[in-house]
Amino acid sequence: MTLPLRKALFLSATLLGPSLSAVSGACAAPHAKQTGAQTGHSVPPKHSFPSARPVLHEAAPHRPARTPAPQNLQSHNAETIAVTARRTDFAFAAAQHSPDADTRLTADRLTQRGVVTLRDLERVAPNLTIQSINGTASTNFYLRGVGFNDFTMNNIPTVMTYFDDVPFAFSTMSSGLMFDLADATVTPGPVGTTHGQSDTGGEVRLRTADPTSTLHYGVSQDIASYARSRSEAYISGPIAKGLDFRLAGQIRQGGGWQTDPQNGAHLGDADSYALRGKLRWHSDDNRTTILLSGHFVQDNSQVVTSQAVHRLIGTAALPHLDQTQAEWSSRSQFDKLIGRPEGLKPSEHNQFWGWDLHMDHDFGFAKVTSVTAFETERQGEYTDQDGTSRSEADTYRTISANAFTQELRLGSSNPDSRLQWVVGAFYQRSRMKQRFFFDYTDYAARGYMMATSFSMNQESTSEFGHISYRLPHNITLFAGLLHEIDDRSLPGLTSEIFGGRTRSFHGESTAAAQFAGQVGVSWQATKNTLVYYKMSKGFKPGGFSANNTQIQAQLDPFGPETVLTYELGFKSDPIPNVLRLNGAAFYNDFHNQQVVGTVLIPNYGPLSEITNVPKSESWGFEGTIELHPVRHVFVTQNIGWQRGNYQDFLNVNRAATNAAYAKTGVWRAVNSNFAGVDNGQPKLTLNGQAEWRQALTPGLGFDIGPDWSYRGSQAIAVGGTGFYRLPPYFLLGAHATLRPSSGKWEVTVYASNLLNRSFFESGGMATTTYFYIPGPPRFIGGRVSYGF
């Protein structure tokens, strides 16, 4: 049926109630940029209260987080709207026809599951592990078991992070930007033939809300246990004809849950704020769009500190701590050396800012897109890595880095054409300076403070192309190719012992040029069933381990990593709007896989070093089940399983070397070939949620249900067992939400780690101890939001 616009919207709101908000963003922002992140892994619309009523056509909502249905909409191009009576309980319907294993998430699902940092994404995607480095804002990614612990964060990550099509050369640059999101996509496997930068593990793409052509504003306040507070606000609307803006901000405070049993000191409070602004101009015919964005983040938060689990060197007893306890120390001499206040707690002192410029023009036969970006980070991180009140491995790190990227691509503009294609080029230039300060005063074998300083220069270019063609009988062939050249250098490194000698090491450089690509076929077997097969080659450049350097050989660059991935998958809606099943199986054949191995320095001890495994492999599967079995019940379950092993890897056996030292008191390397040894990544990951949705009145709805996640054990050293391996854990959460059909407000109460389980998120080695980073205890909180 066709009605005048306002009358149609009024009638739809009356008939559909809250379901209108699932598509209101498409009407509110007709010029908003449409990306591939909108077509995928489904989540039911937030305001879909079960009732006997029609639902607007299209399941993938495109709207800012918590933005209600707009009022008094005006169309620039038409005065009518078609309303189709079709029930669509699962979101991202169009992506069911895309041959990929992507996990796609709406802003509502991210909010509902409490995804406020990058690390939280592992609770909503299969086969994904994201871990903090020593409890700090710096993160490491593992996807399908592909990844490594880059403790110096000066190398290209195995899994690339994108914000609004901008790849972040150093994942720490994304800290503090997880607010005012539109959606998120997790892509496993080799990438780089359609956009951005080549990588072997995959990518995490986050898209923030764009400006709207009608006025919107909203605020939300989240308060929880341990005086944790999260505040967000946004305003969006027109400035002039064709010119729209959006301004959003976030403040995070409190939430520290660790205490020192020696003196009752408190640790872990957040203290950060962030701002993001966007300005968008579009031509009258909507063929040209220019979007300028900028952001600023200041983070002075305290960090979660480690718990020592094993003493490698020395005889001092380790502290006996419960889940919420930790010990730390900061000597006044060390505070003075690093220029920080006396009594410094483990904490961040970080500042991030950047800008990006998107320009699109549709020529009719093709669309050209340019993405220019500049990102910076200024970090100051203090961590107590020995996990005791002694100064055996206290560390302060400063980082000054920036990255410039430019992408230009040209592709088909008609999504219904049998032929789809894109060609493009990508350029990146990054610069970094780091300085590590170490306090070893209470470590008898050293008894000094020292610093390691280095800088790094990097530049890369790549060209890529991807093409697909739909044959008769719904068969589509696709292929892509990438060529990348990467050059990076470490001009020099200095290691200084204060009150002692200074060592200077000569510079190193490394360069690589490689091809990567993809070829595959998909078949739309039925209207609701897609099967596909593809082979992908991924490439990741080499780099440097540049931490506590004692000998020149430690600065030898590690080589590039390549992987050949075979993937077989399917997507299906066997019972439309009742059951959705998606799954994929994969096999990874690695050459020179980059992992953190061990090097032994004579008369010094073992140190971690990024190295190459000549030959290794991994295999597994992931799947998603979405179920709407009865009127009020909605269930989502992600399943990830992977196994892998090294096929040829000669390296220092850390466990055997440490055991030999414990017996003899002399450091002697014990080398082993780890052929056949498990790669140490979690074999099983599970996460999901169930929800009961009830319409209390014609204009008021109620949601309630649990969520859960499980991660298997993970090695923190090659071949790790015992304390060299993080134990598995299971976490349970729950929420209850009350909201009107207008979507203007909502009230939620929630709990995370409902059973108050003690668990550990990551781990590592300091000079004298092995440590784990504990996860947070139970949090109970409430969230209130309002928008117009």
Side-chain angles (χ1 to χ4, degrees), residues 159 167 176 222 234 315 324 485 496 498 542-543 616 647 656 675 697 712 763:
V159 178
D222 187 320
Y234 75 90
T315 59
T324 61
I485 300 174
E496 175 185 6
F498 296 99
S616 57
Q647 297 169 290
T697 71

Side-chain angles (χ1 to χ4, degrees), residues 723-780:
F723 64 83
Y724 294 99
R725 197 173 190 96
L726 291 169
Y729 64 80
F730 172 81
L731 300 177
L732 182 67
H735 81 280
T737 299
L738 185 70
R739 61 170 69 90
S741 58
S742 67
K744 287 187 176 181
W745 58 267
E746 74 171 36
V747 177
T748 299
V749 293
Y750 64 88
S752 60
N753 192 4
L754 188 59
L755 304 178
N756 204 30
R757 304 285 293 271
S758 178
F759 69 104
F760 299 99
E761 293 186 324
S762 60
M765 174 203 173
T767 305
T768 57
T769 64
Y770 279 85
F771 62 83
Y772 294 161
I773 301 296
R778 177 170 52 227
F779 271 78
I780 298 176

